[in-house]
Amino acid sequence: NYLKQNWPILVEDIEKGTISEISMTDEATRAKLMKVIRPNPQRANELRKEFEKGFDDTIIRRIWPNMAVICTICNGIFAPFTKDIRTYAGDVPIDYLIYGASEGLFATADALESEKRLLIVNSCFYEFIPQDDETKICTIDELEPGKEYEIIITNQAGLYRYHCGDVIKVDSYMNECPYILFSYRKGHLLSVTGEKTTEDHMTAVVERIREKEA
């Protein structure tokens, strides 16, 4: 979307070897970059022709013909943006790759275009709090497909029974390893009258509004 709105200025920068104010670059960084940037009128002309044709589901292929895959996050609050990517990416495959945080890597996709990810069982020791009964704690073998759980981890870096704040949904099992989907961050609530509207609920509402307006 940024490219769609600002391509004339960006193309001019490529053509002239300049850095416009739209980049929000501080003067010291701009001075360093200007020493190595060179004009590229040929590339600028190629891009200008493609942008003038419009932004549709071929634009990624037209400006980056060797694009092989797009890596991104797809679940929870990121879901609407994944649909936006499709608007421009067309048939470029999407790899939803990994689900993790600074505390560790928790799960990985085992196929392109797959939104569910396999839990990485040797990354941490996992415990799970069912969101329909927070008095219980489950281990991997006790998870039920279709239910949501808050993740607790114990890892080799010293975190012991650490509440990540992430809530995941169990999709299914492959042998004894669960496929999971990220649902939302626990504690991100809109509570006007004590109803506890989650981040996931708000995302669903926004998505429905988008579909009605489309």
Side-chain angles (χ1 to χ4, degrees):
N1 288 334
Y2 180 89
L3 190 60
K4 185 177 181 179
Q5 295 169 10
N6 300 293
W7 72 261
I9 298 173
L10 297 172
V11 167
E12 184 177 354
D13 276 345
I14 294 171
E15 185 174 45
K16 297 179 179 180
T18 56
I19 302 174
S20 65
E21 293 183 358
I22 198 173
S23 68
M24 304 292 287
T25 308
D26 63 83
E27 288 302 320
T29 303
R30 188 194 304 266
K32 290 180 181 179
L33 292 174
M34 287 301 297
K35 293 179 181 179
V36 295
I37 288 177
R38 298 290 180 268
N40 192 341
Q42 180 180 348
R43 178 58 174 160
N45 188 49
E46 292 172 356
L47 291 172
R48 185 178 287 111
K49 288 180 179 178
E50 296 303 330
F51 293 146
E52 287 175 346
K53 293 177 184 178
F55 285 73
D56 57 21
D57 62 359
T58 68
I59 185 62
I60 296 296
R61 288 287 193 196
R62 285 191 280 117
I63 63 176
W64 294 304
N66 296 324
M67 176 72 75
V69 66
I70 295 173
C71 294
T72 185
I73 304 171
C74 60
N75 305 130
I77 61 170
F78 303 102
F81 304 107
T82 305
K83 292 184 178 180
D84 286 342
I85 290 173
R86 282 288 182 214
T87 303
Y88 306 115
D91 64 348
V92 178
I94 295 179
D95 185 358
Y96 299 118
L97 201 58
I98 60 171
Y99 157 52
S102 56
E103 298 86 359
L105 298 178
F106 304 144
T108 183
D110 61 349
L112 288 175
E113 304 287 348
S114 175
E115 296 185 7
K116 61 185 183 181
R117 301 178 180 91
L118 276 170
L119 201 68
I120 303 174
V121 295
N122 60 354
S123 173
C124 311
F125 177 75
Y126 301 95
E127 296 173 274
F128 303 87
I129 301 176
Q131 292 306 282
D132 60 356
D133 183 0
E134 296 190 1
T135 65
K136 295 174 58 179
I137 293 182
C138 302
T139 50
I140 289 178
D141 59 312
E142 298 174 315
L143 303 179
E144 296 181 41
K147 286 193 174 184
E148 291 184 331
Y149 301 84
E150 180 187 357
I151 296 180
I152 305 172
I153 65 165
T154 297
N155 66 17
Q156 294 182 357
L159 293 177
Y160 176 70
R161 307 196 80 179
Y162 178 80
H163 290 244
C164 297
D166 286 359
V167 175
I168 56 94
K169 183 175 183 179
V170 177
D171 178 84
S172 57
Y173 271 85
M174 184 179 77
N175 299 325
E176 297 180 359
C177 185
Y179 280 105
I180 65 172
L181 301 163
F182 174 78
S183 289
Y184 59 90
R185 287 282 294 172
K186 195 173 180 65
H188 288 198
L189 299 173
L190 174 64
S191 186
V192 178
T193 60
E195 78 283 2
K196 296 184 179 180
T197 301
T198 68
E199 190 176 61
D200 197 35
H201 296 148
M202 291 300 298
T203 301
V205 170
V206 171
E207 185 60 23
R208 288 180 184 178
I209 294 172
R210 282 161 49 98
E211 290 174 356
K212 289 182 178 180
E213 292 180 347

